[in-house]
Amino acid sequence: MPPNPTGPTNWQLRMLARFLRKAAKSNSSNIWRVVAEFVEKPRRQRVVVNVGKLNRIAEEGDVVIVPGKLLGGGQLKKKLVVAAVGASPKAIQKVLEAGGEVLTIPELVRRNPKGSGVKIVV
């Protein structure tokens, strides 16, 4: 019998972490390695961020990454580009209503391989 698995058992999260580690190595960009470490955390330690926190932390036009779930609590009044592992429909709606854009993490990596100017929100 194999030992208990550590890290995410969700194959999509495992593939995302592998993709981020490869991107970090090939682009010499540590930001993707850090995001991979957040993605690989156990379920109880995963990041959950409300759009209200994005409104407080980010500036107009910033590119932010949420290495967890984005939820729709609070108001968003700034135009942001947001990438997240997962997002609730309400959160997506609020980002789009504010004039922003919601991406998946691989889309953001392909758009900005070096990760310059990307802020991690935890």
Side-chain angles (χ1 to χ4, degrees):
M1 187 163 150
N4 290 337
T6 58
T9 55
N10 180 340
W11 66 272
Q12 292 166 323
L13 287 178
R14 291 175 94 103
M15 295 303 290
L16 177 61
R18 186 178 297 155
F19 172 79
L20 288 167
R21 290 196 184 281
K22 284 182 182 178
K25 191 173 276 192
S26 65
N27 298 314
S28 302
S29 177
N30 283 336
I31 188 168
W32 305 130
R33 183 186 50 77
V34 172
V35 173
E37 289 172 5
F38 277 109
V39 168
E40 290 176 329
K41 285 190 173 192
R43 184 175 292 154
R44 291 182 187 184
Q45 296 176 8
R46 289 207 188 120
V47 177
V48 178
V49 176
N50 281 309
V51 292
K53 184 173 185 177
L54 295 181
N55 197 49
R56 289 192 311 272
I57 293 176
E59 301 296 323
E60 183 79 26
D62 275 353
V63 178
V64 296
I65 187 165
V66 179
K69 182 107 177 183
L70 180 65
L71 300 177
Q75 297 292 319
L76 183 63
K77 297 180 175 138
K78 297 175 184 172
K79 185 178 178 181
L80 303 173
V81 176
V82 182
V85 173
S88 71
K90 194 72 167 177
I92 293 171
Q93 177 187 346
K94 287 185 178 185
V95 171
L96 295 176
E97 285 176 357
E101 190 177 1
V102 180
L103 305 172
T104 64
I105 292 176
E107 287 173 345
L108 180 63
V109 172
R110 288 184 191 99
R111 230 190 242 189
N112 188 351
K114 290 285 185 192
S116 56
V118 177
K119 294 182 180 180
I120 302 174
V121 179
V122 291

